[in-house]
């Protein structure tokens, strides 16, 4: 299938360094393929450690002017980048669908969501305030905020656009420069964003994209190079831990958006239709490949059977298909390896006694398609209770009491998103305060936007993205003491 774009220059396949499109030193490339068909869409330039080191030097030099620019000027440039993304939504979405697999309507939604971070931080960057502290005698104590320095970013394939803007927008708004290694599965969306950054007038060296077939080489340089002052990472918990260790030698600031194991707690007193709708969106969006996806449905015993019945009726209406098919509600998962991992989790649960209500196997559509799946007869002793599934599989666990639900929700090393469905106000407070998560959706699962602080606790990470809190991750606090007044 040939990718048809209104503007073919958005399909870039070289690295973007210091405002220029370049190949890696060794002239190597790696293939990017369409998970719906297996077809190779493009060969993309691969960079290594030396190109990364050079980019860091250029980013450091570029930042010198950028950080002194009036915040309103930085804001104008970010706003232009935002507008260009919106104008090119159709092409950016098509590039995303072809390399990642999500249906076109979902890809368009992500492009808008991604753009919203640029608009938000374009505004927020104008409001980086300091403080004058009440001080004794002849001295005054001042606090100012300064950009943290050169930022390195590493992003995953599940949101190939928004995970980038969520980092680049606050970094640039704060006066930093940034170099980004996108996931090997989805570099084309990142490179298209770079093309639009260039057109928007983001000065050379401030936003750099380093695709690579060797994540550890690029990541190794990013984490060991003392000129990089901060690493921001979105991805799996094991890689996040590895990168934190690597950052320790140069004591870098880190922001870590890592894995999740989100519970959706549905009490007997919940609005059943609302809970079914919320669980459907949360579990199956992006074919179950989001870090805040419902991973465990915890349903109270009085409503359990009714919930499973309604939930499975709705799941059976889903239409699996290629992202460009008009009637496809859900696309493939990202790769054959992802498909095999998901199937192994399901088969393992079945061997341990789980009952397949629907799905439970790869789809006849082939390639990377997995049937939307519901499992019952599951319990907290099974391995599926503790694993991040990252696929369209919903295990529905049963509980009796509020205390048991809170204990089950907390029985994981993860702490990113969580959801509670109940009509009882006291319970809303007790459960929201009792569960150990960075985010709680009450009677709502569509919780993310640019205005909220997105992030996790425990092994789901540290730092927040979006909102006024997200800017702090890119700022240093400096104290100035004025004496002898
Ligand atoms: P991943 O395997 O950790 O990969 C994420 C990124 O890290 C990719 O760019 C990858 O590059 C890179 N990477 C891998 N090994 C590396 C190394 N040794 N050094 C430097 N970089 C390295 O995760 P994934 O499978 O792509 O993404 C899914 C995970 O991300 C899930 O756990 C999900 O929950 C999490 N996630 C979290 C959030 C959040 O906000 N908390 C949001 C989205 C996703 P290559 O692609 O080249 O391997």
């Amino acid at each position: 299938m040939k990718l048809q774009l209104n503007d073919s220059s958005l399909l870039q396949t070289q690295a973007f360094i210091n405002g220029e499109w370049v190949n890696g030193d060794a002239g190597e490339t790696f293939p990017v393929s369409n998970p719906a068909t297996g077809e190779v869409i493009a060969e993309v330039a691969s960079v290594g450690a030396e190109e990364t080191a050079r980019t860091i030097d250029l980013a450091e030099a570029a930042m010198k002017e950028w950080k002194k620019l009036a915040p309103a000027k930085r804001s104008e440039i970010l706003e232009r980048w935002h507008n260009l993304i919106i104008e090119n939504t159709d092409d950016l979405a098509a590039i995303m669908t072809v390399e990642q697999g999500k249906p076109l309507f979902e890809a368009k939604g992500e492009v808008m969501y991604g753009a919203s971070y640029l608009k938000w931080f374009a505004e927020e960057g104008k409001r980086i305030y300091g403080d004058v502290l009440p001080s004794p005698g002849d001295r005054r104590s001042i606090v100012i905020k300064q950009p943290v320095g050169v930022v390195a970013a590493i992003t995953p394939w599940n949101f190939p656009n928004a995970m980038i803007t969520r980092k680049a927008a606050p970094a640039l708004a704060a006066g930093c420069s940034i170099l980004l290694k996108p996931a090997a599965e989805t570099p084309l969306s990142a490179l298209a964003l770079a093309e639009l950054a260039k057109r928007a007038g983001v000065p050379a060296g401030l936003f750099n994209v380093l695709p690579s077939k060797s994540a550890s080489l690029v990541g190794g340089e990013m984490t060991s190079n003392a000129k990089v002052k901060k690493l921001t990472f979105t991805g799996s918990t094991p890689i996040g831990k590895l990168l934190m260790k690597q950052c320790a030698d140069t004591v870098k600031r880190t922001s870590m958006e890592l894995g999740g194991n989100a519970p959706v707690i549905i009490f007997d007193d919940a609005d059943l239709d609302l809970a079914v709708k919320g669980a459907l969106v949360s579990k199956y969006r992006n074919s179950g490949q989001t870090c805040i996806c419902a991973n465990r449905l915890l349903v109270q015993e009085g409503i359990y059977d009714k919930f499973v019945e309604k939930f499975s009726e709705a799941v059976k209406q889903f239409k699996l298909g290629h992202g460009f098919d008009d009637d496809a509600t859900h696309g493939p998962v990202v790769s054959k390896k992802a498909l095999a991992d998901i199937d192994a989790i399901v088969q393992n649960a079945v061997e341990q006694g789980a009952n397949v209500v629907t799905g439970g196997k790869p789809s006849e559509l082939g390639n990377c398609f997995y049937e939307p799946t519901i499992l019952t007869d599951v319990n907290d002793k099974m391995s599926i209770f503790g694993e991040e599934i990252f696929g369209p599989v919903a295990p529905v666990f049963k509980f009796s009491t509020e205390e048991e639900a809170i204990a089950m929700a907390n029985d994981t090393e993860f702490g990113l998103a969580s959801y509670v469905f109940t009509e009882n106000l006291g319970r809303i407070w007790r459960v929201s305060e009792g569960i150990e998560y960075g985010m709680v959706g009450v009677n709502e699962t569509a919780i993310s936007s640019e205005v909220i602080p997105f992030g996790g606790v425990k092994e789901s990470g540290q730092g927040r993205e979006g909102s006024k809190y997200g800017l702090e991750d890119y700022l240093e606090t400096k104290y100035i003491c004025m004496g002898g007044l």
Side-chain angles (χ1 to χ4, degrees), residues 402-424:
E402 188 179 304
E403 293 69 29
E404 190 188 356
I406 293 174
M408 284 172 84
N410 288 343
D411 185 12
T412 167
E413 70 272 27
F414 295 109
L416 189 59
S418 57
Y419 311 94
V420 184
F421 283 85
T422 173
E423 299 285 284
N424 178 319

Side-chain angles (χ1 to χ4, degrees), residues 154-159 163 166 181-185 212-220 233-240 242-243 246 256-260 289-292 388 390 414 416 454-456 460 465:
I154 301 178
T155 50
W157 46 263
N158 62 344
F159 288 93
M163 295 303 101
R166 204 154 86 165
K181 193 210 83 64
E185 287 89 346
S212 180
K213 62 180 178 186
S214 177
S216 57
L217 282 186
V218 175
F233 173 73
T234 298
S236 63
T237 295
I239 300 295
L242 174 77
L243 294 170
Q246 290 178 197
M256 293 282 153
E257 296 286 350
L258 309 177
Q289 304 168 107
T290 86
C291 52
I292 59 169
E388 186 181 31
F390 236 59
F414 295 109
L416 189 59
F454 190 103
S460 287
E465 293 191 320

